[in-house]
Amino acid sequence: MKVLTYTLGPVQANCYILIENNHALIIDPGDSFDIQKLIAQENITIDAIVLTHVHFDHFSGLESLCKNISCDIYCNEKEFDFFMNPYLNASSHFMYPVTYSCQPIAVKEGVIKIGTFEMEAIYCPGHTTGSTVYRYKNLLFTGDVLFKGSIGRCDLETGSFTEMKKSIQKIKEIKENLYILPGHGPLSTLDEEKKENPYF
């Protein structure tokens, strides 16, 4: 297993490529990148694209990707309408409006099978109404819920600090020391966040 990280787009969002046994998931493609080159270099099949939430800086690469590969898109169904709404996907707050028409597959909380990957989806609203954290083995892809030393903002549409506090508590209850792969900024570990993050 390995994870590649691309820092993409105008607000430098982390896009992760989770690779195991020549299969891969793309998590939060915030802008375009050379997917064909990646496929050739790593000798991989892309099983799916997975979104932690549907803000423009986490899905703006979809149009380019889906012109080059054919695969399903997964996200929380509470945010299906964000794709075509620049206010909900926050693009109208930061730059030109971003929209993308697609038919995503709904992610339900609990253990889910996406391609060859069996993951745990943990529903963590607060940054957005459908924010979802994904656990794969000892990795936790936290999107904009949890950052190194901080948490995601709660003042955009559908955000809620009350819900965010509940979500952080849910993450805090995980007993294993997992690697934290956030939507922005450097990596961390869950033990480090429990010790150093003021929101814990």
Side-chain angles (χ1 to χ4, degrees):
M1 180 179 68
K2 72 176 179 177
V3 179
L4 305 178
T5 305
Y6 293 93
T7 303
L8 304 172
V11 289
Q12 299 288 280
N14 293 328
C15 170
Y16 298 105
I17 316 297
L18 173 61
I19 300 172
E20 190 163 44
N21 298 324
N22 300 107
H23 286 262
L25 298 179
I26 301 174
I27 300 172
D28 288 353
D31 208 340
S32 60
F33 59 94
D34 193 338
I35 185 61
Q36 295 293 358
K37 181 179 179 181
L38 174 68
I39 289 171
Q41 285 180 340
E42 300 292 334
N43 187 28
I44 52 175
T45 297
I46 306 297
D47 286 5
I49 298 168
V50 181
L51 304 180
T52 59
H53 63 295
V54 187
H55 273 166
F56 78 97
D57 54 324
H58 293 256
F59 78 83
S60 290
L62 285 177
E63 184 171 3
S64 174
L65 284 171
C66 292
K67 286 179 181 177
N68 288 280
I69 59 173
S70 177
C71 67
D72 292 323
I73 300 165
Y74 289 78
C75 67
N76 189 295
E77 64 185 345
K78 291 178 180 289
E79 299 189 7
F80 281 5
D81 56 343
F82 283 34
F83 287 101
M84 295 300 294
N85 188 321
Y87 183 63
L88 291 176
N89 70 41
S91 60
S92 63
H93 295 281
F94 292 93
M95 50 187 290
Y96 54 86
V98 175
T99 59
Y100 182 68
S101 178
C102 61
Q103 294 182 310
I105 296 173
V107 168
K108 303 294 186 181
E109 186 167 38
V111 176
I112 57 174
K113 187 76 179 295
I114 301 179
T116 59
F117 296 84
E118 189 173 277
M119 315 179 80
E120 181 184 4
I122 305 169
Y123 177 49
C124 290
H127 177 64
T128 61
T129 188
S131 286
T132 301
V133 168
Y134 297 93
R135 178 178 180 176
Y136 184 69
K137 298 184 177 179
N138 64 340
L139 308 176
L140 197 65
F141 298 92
T142 59
D144 288 3
V145 176
L146 175 63
F147 303 133
K148 181 179 174 62
S150 189
I151 59 172
R153 60 188 296 181
C154 303
D155 59 336
L156 297 171
E157 186 67 14
T158 79
S160 166
F161 185 62
T162 298
E163 291 299 312
M164 179 66 89
K165 287 190 291 184
K166 294 176 184 177
S167 294
I168 294 300
Q169 181 61 36
K170 185 184 289 188
I171 294 172
K172 185 178 179 180
E173 289 171 359
I174 297 173
K175 292 181 171 53
E176 300 94 330
N177 182 28
L178 307 179
Y179 289 102
I180 303 297
L181 293 84
H184 302 268
L187 308 184
S188 186
T189 66
L190 190 51
D191 278 0
E192 182 179 350
E193 295 312 301
K194 288 178 180 179
K195 293 175 184 176
E196 304 292 339
N197 192 318
Y199 294 97
F200 276 75

